[in-house]
């Protein structure tokens, strides 16, 4: 069994050890197989201080083949498919099991991913809600009638569609929401009856491993949901490009996602969720007292490691100086530190290399003429001060690429159409915001911003898991959200009957 040396570190962890020992042996073998000295081991560390949490075995090519074959076997056995009411019951039991493990899962998210504990608790709540959302969605998840009798040739016929599971799903997930993203990818597959093989981020595999164990405990047979734990990108590509895969759900970098998209076997469908450099516009009519807090949340939540994190703020010239000072004061007050402390607002970046990269981007922007309002310093291997820049050059990387860190840049504008044009200037398009009390300005921006969703007086990071969530252009392909993903993981079949 994989090492669980982290067990002694907390009461929650000791409870986890007991929980693990009490799992049925078949669950243990499926999640963390018996250790083989030839296996490659993966060290999982705390994002905050790089302290070891666990050592787990990774899957190799032979394990991948076994898992693909198992998924194919259960899917081909149509008589063995779980009925909708059985899948609903499994999902409801799963929600209860996650609820019972709330403290453990939140602690694990904070440790392996570095998300502040209070935000990690919210992530677990979202995960529970997402599971129940899928169960509720199944009540109305159905086909439709196709009109007949509209021509002589179609007379005396009746046609309707049903929705069938598309096949085996390969889910490649990201580190920044190590439980909730797994829910977004795995739960729709369970709901629709698709076998799913999920590869978590090598930085944050523990939340996924625990979640899949709970899926089994809820009653789902193992072949319908399997983990694939590896840091080997070639093996991950082998999973994705296997012709037995019917659907790819990918959450991660645009470079990797679009590359994998080009390698899919013929007929394989996909949904890609990448990132962007989310813009927000602050009009002169905005209530400055009310908007500072949501903008700070949008820019610095999870140290900016969110695909729709507010990165570019276009502020009307009439309120620019006042707003910039208010925002600077609030950013300076953010408490940065250990994510396990209740008072922490901003935690670490996921890896030291990310801190290196972002710090170099900040320094280059300042050298290029940006004014550093606050931040710009390094606190530890993975910790940066929340940073606010004013007017970095248009060609600075913080102005034209996704930072994915605790950095927000302010730009001055005079005309709303100028602000919209600058917001739309990058090849990314995901979520955007406009802050205004003037309804005409707000609606003009909402109509013209190139985004899949525009928030009026809410941050770019706003999301509920039942709403559509989609990147455009470089930022993604397809639509996320529990119900939308369920539709992507199914295909319609039309059945036609000739009357009489």
């Amino acid at each position: 069994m994989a090492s669980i040396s982290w067990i002694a570190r907390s009461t929650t962890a000791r409870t986890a050890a007991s929980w693990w020992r009490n799992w049925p042996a078949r669950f243990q073998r499926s999640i963390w197989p018996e250790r083989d000295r030839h296996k490659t081991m993966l060290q999982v560390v705390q994002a905050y201080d790089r302290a070891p949490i666990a050592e787990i075995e990774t899957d190799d090519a032979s394990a991948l083949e076994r898992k693909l074959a198992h998924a194919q076997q259960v899917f081909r056995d149509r008589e063995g498919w779980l009925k909708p009411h059985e899948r609903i019951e499994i999902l409801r039991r799963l929600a209860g099991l996650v609820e019972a493990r709330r403290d453990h899962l939140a602690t694990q998210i904070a440790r392996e991913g570095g998300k502040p504990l209070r935000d990690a608790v919210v992530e677990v709540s979202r995960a529970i809600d997402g599971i129940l959302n899928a169960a509720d969605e199944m009540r109305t998840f159905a086909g439709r009638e196709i009109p007949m009798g509209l021509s002589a040739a179609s007379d005396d016929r009746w046609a309707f569609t049903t929705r069938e599971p598309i096949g085996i799903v390969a889910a490649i997930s990201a580190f920044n929401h190590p439980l909730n993203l797994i829910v977004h990818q795995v739960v729709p597959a369970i709901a629709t009856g698709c076998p799913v093989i999920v590869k978590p981020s090598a930085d944050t595999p523990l939340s996924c491993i625990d979640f899949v164990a709970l899926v089994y405990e809820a009653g789902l047979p193992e072949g319908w949901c399997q983990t694939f734990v590896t840091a080997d990108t070639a093996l991950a590509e082998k999973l994705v490009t296997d012709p037995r895969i019917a659907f790819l759900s990918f959450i991660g970098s645009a470079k990797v996602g679009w590359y994998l998209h080009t390698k899919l076997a013929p007929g394989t469908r996909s949904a890609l969720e990448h990132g962007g450099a989310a813009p927000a516009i602050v009009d002169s009519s905005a209530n400055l007292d009310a908007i500072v807090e949501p903008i700070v949340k949008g820019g610095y939540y999870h140290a900016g490691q969110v695909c729709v994190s507010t990165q570019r703020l276009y502020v009307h010239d009439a309120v620019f100086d006042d707003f910039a000072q208010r925002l600077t004061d609030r950013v300076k007050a953010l408490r940065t530190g250990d994510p396990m402390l209740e008072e922490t607002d901003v935690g670490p970046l996921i890896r030291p290399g990310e801190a290196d990269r972002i710090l170099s981007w900040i320094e280059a922007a300042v050298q290029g003429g940006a004014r550093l309002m606050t931040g710009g310093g390094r606190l530890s291997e993975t910790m940066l001060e929340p940073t606010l820049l004013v007017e970095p050059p248009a060609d600075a990387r913080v102005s034209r690429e996704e930072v994915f860190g605790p950095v927000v840049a302010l730009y001055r504008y005079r005309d709303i159409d100028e602000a919209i044009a600058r917001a739309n200037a990058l090849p990314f398009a995901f979520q955007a915001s406009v802050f205004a009390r003037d309804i005409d300005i707000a609606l003009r921006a909402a109509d013209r911003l190139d985004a899949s969703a525009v928030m009026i007086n809410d941050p770019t990071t706003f999301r509920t898991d039942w709403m559509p969530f989609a990147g455009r252009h470089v930022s993604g392909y397809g639509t996320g959200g529990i119900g939308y993903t369920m539709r992507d993981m199914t295909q319609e079949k039309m059945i036609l009957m000739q009357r009489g």
Side-chain angles (χ1 to χ4, degrees):
M1 188 175 76
S3 168
I4 47 175
S5 58
W6 54 274
I7 291 300
R9 292 180 180 271
S10 69
T11 302
T12 302
R14 286 193 293 273
T15 304
S18 172
W19 185 51
W20 167 259
R21 287 193 297 271
N22 291 329
W23 281 341
R26 66 192 181 93
F27 294 169
Q28 295 186 25
R29 286 194 300 272
S30 175
I31 301 300
W32 284 344
E34 289 296 316
R35 176 174 290 182
D36 184 319
R37 67 177 179 271
H38 301 298
K39 289 277 190 180
T40 300
M41 306 304 293
L42 178 66
Q43 292 283 345
V44 184
V45 301
Q46 292 190 146
Y48 174 61
D49 57 8
R50 314 303 289 168
I53 303 175
E55 184 181 56
I56 61 176
E57 292 176 358
T58 60
D59 290 306
D60 57 16
S62 61
L64 174 59
E65 176 54 35
R66 287 196 304 272
K67 292 181 180 192
L68 282 165
H70 197 181
Q72 184 181 46
Q73 178 186 12
V74 297
F75 190 67
R76 282 183 170 176
D77 178 19
R78 196 166 183 122
E79 295 302 316
W81 286 10
L82 295 171
K83 295 178 172 59
H85 70 86
E86 293 174 312
R87 285 179 262 138
I88 289 172
E89 286 306 309
I90 287 169
L91 290 171
R92 288 177 175 165
R93 284 195 295 270
L94 177 59
L97 291 169
V98 173
E99 173 65 50
R101 302 294 296 163
R102 178 190 293 273
D103 291 346
H104 164 73
L105 291 167
T107 298
Q108 191 153 267
I109 290 166
R111 295 187 69 204
E112 67 175 341
K115 180 177 289 185
L117 184 59
R118 65 169 178 261
D119 293 328
V121 171
V122 174
E123 179 172 341
V124 179
S125 296
R126 282 184 59 190
I128 295 165
D129 188 63
I131 296 165
L132 294 173
N133 183 192
D136 291 342
E137 186 79 19
M138 290 181 67
R139 291 188 174 277
T140 56
F141 197 70
R144 58 199 172 95
E145 184 175 358
I146 306 298
M148 289 290 144
L150 304 181
S151 67
S154 66
D155 203 19
D156 287 329
R157 287 166 177 82
W158 177 44
F160 59 92
T161 66
T162 60
R163 301 197 75 93
E164 294 185 332
I166 195 170
I168 302 173
V169 172
I172 309 293
S173 206
F175 76 86
N176 54 335
H177 307 290
L179 177 64
N180 205 40
L181 293 183
I182 299 297
V183 167
H184 289 173
Q185 296 171 294
V186 168
V187 164
I190 295 171
T192 55
C194 291
V196 57
I197 300 173
V198 56
K199 190 200 90 63
S201 166
D203 293 304
T204 56
L206 302 179
S207 296
C208 176
I209 289 169
D210 279 0
F211 179 73
V212 173
L214 292 175
V215 168
Y216 295 161
E217 191 175 338
L220 188 74
E222 292 172 31
W224 292 96
C225 181
Q226 303 172 85
T227 60
F228 183 64
V229 179
T230 183
D232 186 331
T233 56
L235 270 183
E237 181 176 338
K238 190 173 182 181
L239 163 64
V240 167
T241 58
D242 190 282
R244 288 167 286 190
I245 296 298
F247 187 84
L248 167 64
S249 171
F250 177 87
I251 303 174
S253 78
K255 180 179 178 181
V256 175
W258 287 113
Y259 168 78
L260 292 176
H261 187 73
T262 68
K263 298 293 182 179
L264 297 178
T268 302
R269 298 183 190 175
S270 67
L272 311 177
E273 185 179 307
H274 301 147
I281 295 172
V282 177
D283 180 55
S284 59
S285 68
N287 181 347
L288 301 189
D289 290 329
I291 70 171
V292 168
E293 204 62 38
I295 287 175
V296 167
K297 190 70 172 177
Y300 300 99
Y301 169 75
H302 197 8
Q305 298 170 115
V306 181
C307 59
V308 288
S309 181
T310 306
Q311 182 175 321
R312 298 175 292 147
L313 267 173
Y314 297 95
V315 183
H316 195 281
D317 182 69
V319 296
F320 187 93
D321 292 335
D322 186 7
F323 176 77
Q325 190 57 57
R326 290 170 185 248
L327 188 59
T328 299
D329 292 343
R330 182 64 186 94
V331 174
K332 284 180 177 178
L334 290 172
R335 292 160 296 191
T336 306
D338 185 347
M340 290 301 297
L341 300 178
E342 182 64 30
E343 65 268 20
T344 296
D345 297 310
V346 180
L349 296 161
I350 191 64
R351 290 181 295 275
E354 289 301 292
D356 294 340
R357 173 185 62 81
I358 295 166
L359 194 58
S360 72
W361 288 17
I362 295 169
E363 290 169 350
V366 172
Q367 290 169 7
R371 180 155 53 107
L372 182 64
M373 298 294 287
T374 187
R378 189 168 195 157
L379 302 173
S380 72
E381 248 192 315
T382 55
M383 296 279 296
L384 296 181
E385 292 175 332
T387 299
L388 185 62
L389 297 169
V390 169
E391 296 287 1
D395 61 353
R397 299 188 80 166
V398 297
S399 295
R400 59 185 174 85
E401 299 181 37
E402 180 182 26
V403 175
F404 216 62
V407 180
V408 173
L410 271 65
Y411 307 86
R412 192 185 299 263
Y413 80 90
R414 288 187 172 83
D415 177 75
I416 186 62
D417 290 333
E418 172 202 348
I420 293 167
R422 293 169 69 184
N424 291 343
L426 300 184
F428 312 108
F430 212 139
Q431 298 196 160
S433 291
V434 55
F435 293 89
R437 284 183 288 191
D438 184 326
I439 190 64
D440 292 331
I441 290 289
L443 292 180
R444 185 175 184 83
D447 182 57
R448 287 164 172 75
L449 281 166
D450 187 7
S452 60
V454 177
M455 314 304 168
I456 298 176
N457 296 322
D458 254 323
T460 59
T461 49
F462 179 84
R463 183 181 184 184
T464 63
D465 296 315
W466 58 86
M467 77 185 213
F469 190 72
R472 293 180 176 181
H473 314 313
V474 173
S475 293
Y477 180 76
T479 304
I482 297 294
Y484 298 89
T485 301
M486 287 172 64
R487 284 190 277 280
D488 279 349
M489 290 182 179
T490 57
Q491 49 196 350
E492 280 192 319
K493 175 186 284 183
M494 193 188 78
I495 299 172
L496 184 140
M497 299 174 62
Q498 187 172 14
R499 298 179 187 273

